[in-house]
């Protein structure tokens, strides 16, 4: 018997078994957990965007004050 035949027999045996009973509240719990994960991801995304925006604003304020593109003053 080849490996392919053994795998096929194992799959057929698994498909022939009856399906296990699922708790009735499983779908509601899974949906609630999914909503919580989605809310957490959105919160993390919002924090990342706020940090990125504040970094850009801080850079622009620094650049406006320091003007790093202009030449330094000459000493006589």
């Amino acid at each position: 018997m080849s490996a392919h035949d053994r795998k096929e027999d194992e799959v057929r045996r698994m498909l022939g078994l009856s399906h296990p009973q699922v708790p009735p509240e499983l779908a509601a719990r899974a949906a609630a957990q999914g909503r919580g994960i989605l809310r957490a991801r959105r919160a993390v995304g919002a924090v990342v965007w706020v940090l990125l925006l504040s970094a850009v604003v801080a850079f622009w304020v620094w650049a406006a004050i320091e003007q790093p593109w202009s030449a330094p003053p000459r000493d006589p």
Side-chain angles (χ1 to χ4, degrees), residues 43-74:
V44 168
V47 168
V48 167
W49 277 110
V50 166
L51 288 175
L52 181 64
L53 182 63
S54 63
V56 168
V57 168
F59 172 77
W60 280 106
V61 168
W62 170 80
I65 293 171
E66 293 294 323
Q67 297 181 353
W69 55 86
S70 62
R74 291 187 175 186

Side-chain angles (χ1 to χ4, degrees), residues 8-19:
E8 186 176 338
D9 288 341
E10 186 176 343
V11 168
R12 288 182 189 277
R13 199 170 29 254
M14 287 171 46
L15 290 175
L17 297 176
S18 64
H19 298 290

Side-chain angles (χ1 to χ4, degrees), residues 38-48:
L38 184 60
R39 191 178 314 119
R41 282 185 183 172
R42 284 182 180 164
V44 168
V47 168
V48 167

